Amino acid sequence: MQQTLNILERLIGFDTVSAKSNLGLIAYIEDFLEARGFEIHRISDDSGEKAGLFATLGPRGPGGVLLSGHTDVVPVEGQVWTREPFKLTQEGERFFGRGTTDMKGYLASMLSLADRAAHMPLKDPLKLAFSYDEEIGVVGIKQMIGALETSIGLPRVCFVGEPTGMQVAIGHKGKAALRAICQGQNGHSALAPRFVNALHLAVDFVQELRALQKDLIETGARDAGYDIPYTTFHVGKMQGGIALNIVPDEAVVEFEYRHLAVDPAAEILQRIEQAATGIASRYQSDFPGARIDVDQYNAYPGLAVEADSDVVSLAQQLAQSNRVTKVPYGTEAGYFAGLGIATVVCGPGSMEGQGHKPDEYLELSELVACDAMMDRILAQLVG
């Protein structure tokens, strides 16, 4: 446990807010693992300011267990902290610092396991994944995932260590982030009825999204495993116009949907695009150039694992938990599952209680339980 805490102290000391580079932390992890005999594969983003790692120890090739976590954290700006966010502070049984829960506590436990595994004869490989830019829309693993099979080989199972209170999470919704760009006409506001106001298209589009939401609530699929058991829409921003006396010719609506696994993303997007086309057509007799273009600029898959599957039984055994849960937030697990890897989410801490909050902390008992799970994983790999 002391080694895990020492590693956690180092990890918290790296300010890896998503807007900043994570290369210092990646170099630390790389050196740590190389010194223990791991084969390392670094994957950089296009800017060269971010990188992720795939690493493996033991027999080469497919199989084994993959542990996965992200290295970035959310910002501290705008939050009132009473402790230094990028310095690990212990008070009683709690360890404070940005990322303790989400999710450097799990990363520290991964690395502590890596050290113990380096001294053991593994019959199955231990594989590790460290990603970037998870907090801005699960971006980094999307860029990394194609190299997994060719670099370290596909594992038999994958555990993603997002905070679940060490319960086994078998599902989360997928998400898409979109913008609707509404085109109208410029004109003087004194003659406003003669022009097609782009904000009018935008308002009508938002109303149509609300109608889609209502339909999903009343007639759509439901999953009682979630607090909100249906696919949801959310409009986060609407912008348009440059001056009060000018009819705006462009307005932009930014929105998202978070969908159940049984609601295919392609079908939802088709309904959105049909709504945009229908709204624009109402205005085209007055202005043929009226239109709404829908741009999906990010998306990540959900996760849906059968509660009686082998990976769930294994995870429950390793975590010493007989419960399963579903989480309201997104994770990287859907990308691993998309490769046919049996994947669940299980890690220390509480997203609801500590994640993304000022004075973020992790209970010692959670880290102890995570280290114990890692010991059970090691015992399986040694055989």
Side-chain angles (χ1 to χ4, degrees):
M1 175 50 58
Q2 188 56 52
Q3 183 183 47
T4 302
L5 292 174
N6 292 342
I7 296 169
L8 180 58
E9 183 175 28
R10 289 294 305 273
L11 296 179
I12 297 299
F14 291 99
D15 179 353
T16 53
V17 169
S18 302
K20 302 178 181 180
S21 174
N22 74 334
L23 295 184
L25 182 146
I26 286 295
Y28 165 74
I29 293 175
E30 200 168 35
D31 290 345
F32 185 97
L33 293 176
E34 284 184 341
R36 288 153 179 83
F38 277 76
E39 179 184 322
I40 309 293
H41 297 264
R42 179 188 282 224
I43 302 166
S44 298
D45 76 343
D46 292 339
S47 74
E49 293 299 313
K50 305 281 184 70
L53 298 176
F54 290 134
T56 184
L57 180 72
R60 284 190 51 81
V65 174
L66 174 66
L67 308 176
S68 178
H70 62 81
T71 60
D72 59 319
V73 298
V74 296
V76 299
E77 285 76 16
Q79 296 184 335
V80 180
W81 283 69
T82 63
R83 302 160 181 87
E84 171 58 45
F86 297 106
K87 179 181 178 182
L88 188 68
T89 303
Q90 180 178 3
E91 295 183 12
E93 298 290 290
R94 291 179 175 177
F95 293 86
F96 293 85
R98 173 55 89 216
T100 46
T101 282
D102 187 19
M103 57 182 298
K104 291 181 178 179
Y106 187 76
L107 298 187
S109 194
M110 286 169 59
L111 290 172
S112 185
L113 169 62
D115 179 68
R116 299 193 298 279
H119 305 287
M120 303 291 285
L122 302 184
K123 69 178 183 66
D124 289 315
L126 172 63
K127 299 177 178 181
L128 307 176
F130 301 88
S131 67
Y132 57 91
D133 283 353
E134 189 273 347
E135 297 289 4
I136 61 171
V138 195
V139 173
I141 197 65
K142 182 178 182 179
Q143 300 171 354
M144 294 172 58
I145 196 70
L148 178 61
E149 183 172 12
T150 56
S151 60
I152 63 173
L154 297 184
R156 177 173 53 88
V157 294
C158 173
F159 303 120
V160 176
E162 292 280 3
T164 65
M166 295 305 297
Q167 302 302 312
V168 179
I170 61 173
H172 65 74
K173 296 177 182 178
K175 175 185 171 180
L178 310 94
R179 60 175 66 91
I181 304 167
C182 307
Q183 298 294 334
Q185 291 171 289
N186 272 143
H188 196 290
S189 62
L191 305 172
R194 296 183 178 177
F195 304 101
V196 170
N197 187 324
L199 280 168
H200 292 178
L201 277 79
V203 169
D204 288 355
F205 182 73
V206 171
Q207 286 295 101
E208 191 64 27
L209 292 181
R210 295 182 68 185
L212 287 173
Q213 177 69 94
K214 185 173 185 291
D215 180 62
L216 286 167
I217 293 172
E218 293 177 350
T219 67
R222 302 180 84 84
D223 185 335
Y226 295 101
D227 289 340
I228 299 178
Y230 45 81
T231 294
T232 61
F233 284 87
H234 163 68
V235 177
K237 292 175 65 178
M238 184 164 71
Q239 297 173 308
I242 57 175
L244 182 58
N245 63 349
I246 301 175
V247 177
D249 66 347
E250 183 174 284
V252 179
V253 179
E254 293 191 45
F255 64 103
E256 69 174 28
Y257 64 85
R258 294 177 183 257
H259 64 99
L260 300 174
V262 293
D263 286 334
E267 292 182 12
I268 298 171
L269 181 59
Q270 183 180 39
R271 293 184 70 179
I272 293 168
E273 291 174 336
Q274 288 172 345
T277 300
I279 292 165
S281 67
R282 302 174 198 166
Y283 293 88
Q284 287 169 351
S285 60
D286 295 323
F287 173 52
R291 69 179 192 274
I292 301 176
D293 298 317
V294 176
D295 170 33
Q296 180 175 295
Y297 58 89
N298 190 34
Y300 59 75
L303 178 71
V305 183
E306 294 296 330
D308 60 355
S309 64
D310 290 343
V311 68
V312 173
S313 298
L314 173 62
Q316 289 177 321
Q317 174 190 343
L318 296 171
Q320 295 289 281
S321 170
N322 58 8
R323 294 178 53 197
V324 294
T325 187
K326 294 182 180 180
V327 293
Y329 53 84
T331 80
E332 299 173 333
Y335 282 105
F336 295 108
L339 294 180
I341 303 166
T343 304
V344 294
V345 182
C346 183
S350 165
M351 188 68 80
E352 181 179 359
Q354 295 104 42
H356 296 199
K357 298 181 183 297
D359 289 337
E360 179 181 347
Y361 67 88
L362 182 63
E363 297 279 0
L364 176 62
S365 60
E366 290 282 301
L367 202 54
V368 168
C370 188
D371 270 0
M373 177 178 175
M374 297 298 182
D375 281 338
R376 296 182 193 105
I377 290 172
L378 180 57
Q380 290 221 345
L381 295 177
V382 172

